[in-house]
């Protein structure tokens, strides 16, 4: 006699686990989008003096709390290889930021670069981190 709980193959358990992770990520993206849009809407209302400033701070705080909750939940759900890839890409992105910002600052101070554009550095850091993640997933180590 076999127990049906043990009859499931490792592949089916992996597929179920992976689907739960994708569902968790999709819910996280939906929540992040909703909070992002509402924070933008509340900030426009604040600029028009329609709402008090504490409401904008509360929307921002909700976004930060949700981001921390999602990150904690995500890292609990991924396996050790995905965790390694994520930590590796974050390290590469941080190293880029550590070099890029002071370099731009230096060149701005001596007159060789325009004023620091933090959006450019932010997006470049994200692109570098995502590229490092993609290369890790492609097996380039």
């Amino acid at each position: 006699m076999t127990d049906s709980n043990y009859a499931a193959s490792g592949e089916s358990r992996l597929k179920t686990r992976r689907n739960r992770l994708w569902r968790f990520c999709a819910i996280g993206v939906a929540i992040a989008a909703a909070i992002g849009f509402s924070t933008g809407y509340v900030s426009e209302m604040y600029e028009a003096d329609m709402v008090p400033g504490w409401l904008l701070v509360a929307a921002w705080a909700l976004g930060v709390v949700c981001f921390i909750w999602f990150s904690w939940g995500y890292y609990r759900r991924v396996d050790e290889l995905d965790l390694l890839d994520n930590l590796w890409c974050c390290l590469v992105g941080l190293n880029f930021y550590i070099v890029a910002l002071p370099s731009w600052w230096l060149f701005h101070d001596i007159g060789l670069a325009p004023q620091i554009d933090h959006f450019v550095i932010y997006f470049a850091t994200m692109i570098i981190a995502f590229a490092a993640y993609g290369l890790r997933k492609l097996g380039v180590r």
Side-chain angles (χ1 to χ4, degrees):
M1 183 183 313
T2 60
D3 187 359
S4 63
N5 291 335
Y6 295 107
S9 70
E11 291 175 0
S12 65
R13 288 193 311 264
L14 178 63
K15 182 179 178 185
T16 301
R17 182 176 179 204
R18 181 62 65 185
N19 287 340
R20 274 187 273 149
L21 178 65
W22 281 111
R23 188 170 33 256
F24 177 77
C25 290
I27 291 169
V29 166
I31 291 171
I35 290 173
F37 285 123
S38 48
T39 302
Y41 182 69
V42 170
S43 67
E44 286 182 12
M45 291 176 65
Y46 172 74
E47 289 174 352
D49 289 330
M50 297 173 64
V51 297
W54 66 264
L55 191 59
L56 181 59
V57 172
W60 169 81
L62 177 65
V64 170
V65 167
C66 287
F67 178 75
I68 291 169
W69 172 82
F70 174 80
S71 296
W72 177 73
Y74 177 80
Y75 287 120
R76 285 186 58 225
R77 286 171 171 79
V78 297
D79 63 17
E80 62 275 0
L81 295 177
D82 283 332
L83 180 63
L84 179 65
D85 291 343
N86 277 283
L87 294 176
W88 180 256
C89 81
C90 289
L91 176 67
V92 170
L94 178 62
N95 285 338
F96 170 80
Y97 182 84
I98 287 170
V99 171
L101 183 67
S103 298
W104 195 334
W105 209 340
L106 168 72
F107 291 127
H108 169 69
D109 284 350
I110 63 174
L112 293 177
Q115 182 70 25
I116 296 172
D117 188 344
H118 292 282
F119 286 115
V120 170
I121 299 244
Y122 174 81
F123 286 117
T125 301
M126 297 303 290
I127 289 168
I128 295 294
F130 283 131
Y133 183 80
L135 291 172
R136 291 285 292 191
K137 287 299 181 187
L138 290 173
V140 179
R141 302 208 186 258

